[in-house]
Amino acid sequence: MSAPRTPLDVLRQTYGYESFRGLQEDVINRIMSGGNAVVFMPTGGGKSACYQIPAILRPGVGIVISPLIALMRDQVAALQQMGVRAACLNSSVQPSEANHIIHELHSGNMDLLYVAPERLAQPGFMDMLSGIKISLIAIDEAHCVAQWGHDFRPDYLRLSVFAEMFPSVPRLALTATADGPTRNEILYRLSFSNEDIFATGFDRPNIRYTVIPKDQEKRQLLNFIKNEHFAECGIVYRMSRKKVESTAEWLCKQGINALPYHAGLDAQTRESNQARFMSEDGVVMVATIAFGMGIDKPDVRYVAHLDLPKTIEAYYQETGRAGRDGLPAEAWMSVGIQDIGFLKRMIMSGNSPDDRKALELRKLNALLAYCESPGCLRQSLLSYFGEELEEPCGNCFTCINPPSIFDGTIPAQKALSNIYRTEQLFGANYLIDILLGKENKRISTQGHNSLSTYGIGKEFNSDEWLSIHRQLVSQGLVDVDMEGYGSLKLNAKSWEVLRKERTVALRKDPVLAKSKTRRARK
Ligand code: ADP
Ligand code: ZN
């Protein structure tokens, strides 16, 4: 008889990989010896193998809880192709097939069973599980158990029964989200202890982070794709279904192979678009966040955001879908002052309790601070996750184009005074027209050409003023109207600036600086 297979044998023979990555081996050893593990690894870090390999080696079937049907199907198909006995039980499985799967489970002919969390509530399901031999229980996307998280799923709360019902079966919880509160909630709700934690660094050195000010977003996107990623595979995230469709259509007209994806499309279109994205070369998927969780396409060369995500966690997870193969990839985002107002309005008009809204606003502000970071973007991103990067990375937009900082107290006073004199009723673009002394009908009808702020801002162009207004918003020195049309409003801090009690440091945006030199050279 040959010696029993080791985890490394399985990695090589079944997966075709040479060696383990990061903490994979430690986690697998822990589970093989009957322990539990909570695995915090970035997207693409290789979490699946952490439970799949022990499930293949240990007697019995590994139960995997996974929130998305599409993701389950992909994983099961991939496993079956490698010769692993795997199946899934979810609402898309026909009763006859489900019966067959359950029969195979009882006969001990299964290595891995993927289950949707809703299943656990079905009568008889837990009884069925207690009648079979279970090798391990893995809870994927474990952050879905966190009530304050952005992906909370009530069904996940039920998963705590596993610890009680199967105290001697090794359990894993896995996620790519790992801010402190979410970590604690996972440990607490799913009954893990601190010793179970396996956390790898969150840095994705091959991803270059870029945040630029919005200026004709679709054009910017097109230039980015054409100049840097032509015919390469990418994902473009948009906030709404309508924007997904208009952006995809527009890109197609410009000769880019783009497809739309959002939850409002019928199942067949979604599936066929996803299939084309996975199998064809150079497809650009324009999508809402409905697209992505569990998308395992290694050669996505860029993730572009034309609208702000809600939190840094969401941004990290979405951008993490780029460059899973370890080759250079890009996380590119175009941010506008309107996005900020829009998101704030969305948060404030929701039905959630006030403390929840406050938390969401804080999370949004953390993301804004990242966007306007005068230093290394990667350092800023990692520090949010509690990780310190000693040196600036050299591979992000601000490292490559260091923004210069200037004393912006006087321009800030001009902008704030202009807001005050126009009675806090207008958005940034109109306000800027006044500062630049533009002659147009709207201004003359309003009589704003006689204001003391009319034409006092000619030292900057409109792009620069837009950046100044955006920075004032993101530094909390001015508010965006929550209910109305995004007009700018003064707050207590604005008055400190106006009364000369506070100075304002502004980042001179390098993109704007560049366009200025170009103009100057002409
Ligand atoms: P995660 O679930 O953490 O996002 P996956 O488990 O989907 O990541 O793995 C990401 C990619 O890395 C997959 O294509 C997977 O096959 C591959 N992979 C996993 N482990 C290894 C390894 N040890 N060596 C090389 N590639 C690996
Ligand atoms: Zn950097």
Side-chain angles (χ1 to χ4, degrees):
M1 231 180 93
S2 58
R5 294 212 296 169
T6 64
L8 189 59
D9 294 336
V10 177
L11 185 78
R12 289 181 174 163
Q13 294 160 5
T14 306
Y15 290 77
Y17 296 135
E18 207 35 47
S19 55
F20 283 110
R21 266 194 202 158
L23 293 171
Q24 278 178 329
E25 193 169 18
D26 295 345
V27 174
I28 290 168
N29 288 340
R30 170 82 152 216
I31 302 299
M32 289 305 291
S33 63
N36 298 327
V38 183
V39 181
F40 298 116
M41 267 186 205
T43 307
K47 289 186 284 299
S48 318
C50 293
Y51 57 82
Q52 289 172 350
I53 291 178
I56 292 167
L57 287 170
R58 285 173 61 91
V61 59
I63 306 296
V64 185
I65 309 296
S66 176
L68 289 180
I69 292 176
L71 175 135
M72 278 190 222
R73 271 203 306 257
D74 289 353
Q75 292 243 3
V76 167
L79 285 164
Q80 286 173 343
Q81 223 163 32
M82 302 188 311
V84 177
R85 300 169 302 177
C88 59
L89 281 180
N90 58 44
S91 56
S92 77
V93 176
Q94 298 298 317
S96 62
E97 198 192 340
N99 285 337
H100 174 71
I101 292 169
I102 291 169
H103 179 262
E104 295 291 298
L105 285 169
H106 282 291
S107 327
N109 291 334
M110 197 68 82
D111 298 308
L112 279 147
L113 178 71
Y114 284 72
V115 187
E118 308 83 84
R119 268 288 139 155
L120 273 56
Q122 284 185 6
F125 185 74
M126 293 308 275
D127 287 344
M128 190 279 286
L129 284 189
S130 45
I132 59 176
K133 178 141 188 68
I134 297 179
S135 59
L136 59 83
I137 296 158
I139 299 172
D140 206 2
E141 312 287 356
H143 61 278
C144 293
V145 82
Q147 304 237 33
W148 292 131
H150 60 288
D151 282 329
F152 174 60
R153 285 172 188 247
D155 283 315
Y156 263 64
L157 294 175
R158 212 173 323 197
L159 303 181
S160 60
V161 300
F162 283 126
E164 295 156 31
M165 272 187 71
F166 305 102
S168 57
V169 174
R171 290 178 301 119
L172 300 95
L174 309 101
T175 179
T177 300
D179 61 295
T182 304
R183 279 190 193 202
N184 291 336
E185 218 175 327
I186 291 171
L187 295 190
Y188 162 74
R189 296 206 183 273
L190 299 176
S191 307
F192 287 93
S193 65
N194 278 321
E195 299 85 75
D196 300 331
I197 294 179
F198 292 82
T200 6
F202 271 61
D203 191 13
R204 298 281 310 277
N206 62 315
I207 298 183
R208 170 179 295 176
Y209 296 94
T210 296
V211 180
I212 57 164
K214 188 169 285 190
D215 175 19
Q216 298 190 319
E217 53 191 23
K218 286 185 190 153
R219 279 270 151 220
Q220 284 180 315
L221 176 69
L222 183 65
N223 287 341
F224 168 72
I225 294 176
K226 278 193 164 163
N227 298 341
E228 292 169 59
H229 297 283
F230 193 67
E232 289 180 344
C233 167
I235 303 174
V236 177
Y237 279 112
R238 299 245 51 176
M239 173 94 83
S240 68
R241 297 172 181 186
K242 229 171 91 189
K243 284 182 171 178
V244 163
E245 293 189 358
S246 64
T247 308
E249 252 170 52
W250 188 82
L251 283 175
C252 286
K253 280 195 198 120
Q254 310 300 319
I256 304 290
N257 188 10
L259 294 172
Y261 190 104
H262 60 70
L265 294 171
D266 62 85
Q268 214 183 340
T269 311
R270 281 205 311 268
E271 263 173 49
S272 95
N273 286 0
Q274 174 164 343
R276 285 185 55 193
F277 175 79
M278 297 302 285
S279 59
E280 283 177 26
D281 280 342
V283 173
V284 179
M285 189 68 105
V286 185
T288 61
I289 51 170
F291 181 74
M293 205 198 268
I295 292 295
D296 182 14
K297 185 163 168 54
D299 60 346
V300 175
R301 291 273 65 85
Y302 61 92
V303 169
H305 282 91
L306 280 198
D307 299 298
L308 265 180
K310 283 192 197 153
T311 62
I312 292 190
E313 288 91 341
Y315 171 74
Y316 181 84
Q317 217 165 40
E318 285 150 29
T319 55
R321 291 173 188 134
R324 279 172 167 230
D325 53 11
L327 298 172
E330 236 173 313
W332 181 94
M333 175 154 70
S334 164
V335 199
I337 202 166
Q338 325 81 274
D339 299 351
I340 306 174
F342 179 80
L343 274 180
K344 286 193 174 165
R345 277 199 299 284
M346 225 170 66
I347 293 172
M348 294 315 287
S349 63
N351 293 324
S352 20
D354 285 350
D355 56 346
R356 167 89 208 198
K357 286 181 180 168
L359 177 92
E360 288 181 5
L361 281 180
R362 279 203 303 279
K363 290 203 163 208
L364 176 59
N365 284 330
L367 180 65
L368 296 179
Y370 162 79
C371 293
E372 300 274 39
S373 164
C376 170
L377 289 172
R378 191 183 311 275
Q379 279 180 323
S380 166
L381 187 62
L382 291 176
S383 87
Y384 179 81
F385 291 111
E387 233 177 275
E388 202 180 323
L389 190 67
E390 299 261 324
E391 297 289 324
C393 74
N395 186 29
C396 73
F397 190 79
T398 48
C399 280
I400 296 165
N401 313 270
S404 43
I405 303 295
F406 68 102
D407 179 356
T409 311
I410 292 187
Q413 284 166 344
K414 288 182 179 177
L416 295 173
S417 155
N418 191 39
I419 294 169
Y420 176 68
R421 286 178 202 287
T422 50
E423 297 171 55
Q424 314 184 49
L425 289 172
F426 298 92
N429 288 317
Y430 181 74
L431 291 165
I432 290 168
D433 283 349
I434 298 175
L435 290 171
L436 292 174
K438 289 254 172 80
E439 286 171 32
N440 64 42
K441 204 160 162 224
R442 196 172 169 203
I443 291 183
S444 51
T445 319
Q446 299 273 0
H448 286 154
N449 41 8
S450 58
L451 291 177
S452 59
T453 50
Y454 182 72
I456 57 162
K458 292 187 176 157
E459 69 275 36
F460 297 109
N461 64 27
S462 62
D463 287 343
E464 290 163 335
W465 273 119
L466 208 53
S467 163
I468 292 168
H469 281 81
R470 192 177 46 244
Q471 292 187 59
L472 292 176
V473 170
S474 82
Q475 293 187 28
L477 298 174
V478 62
D479 291 337
V480 180
D481 179 19
M482 302 289 182
E483 285 101 53
Y485 298 96
S487 54
L488 299 183
K489 307 268 184 214
L490 301 185
N491 60 26
K493 286 186 196 163
S494 326
W495 285 105
E496 290 174 20
V497 176
L498 283 168
R499 288 195 302 259
K500 302 188 178 121
E501 293 162 11
R502 179 193 269 272
T503 59
V504 181
L506 291 177
R507 171 181 150 173
K508 196 162 188 161
D509 207 296
V511 172
L512 300 177
K514 238 186 267 160
S515 72
K516 203 173 152 197
T517 44
R518 222 183 295 136
R519 221 172 294 130
R521 241 183 262 131
K522 262 196 243 160

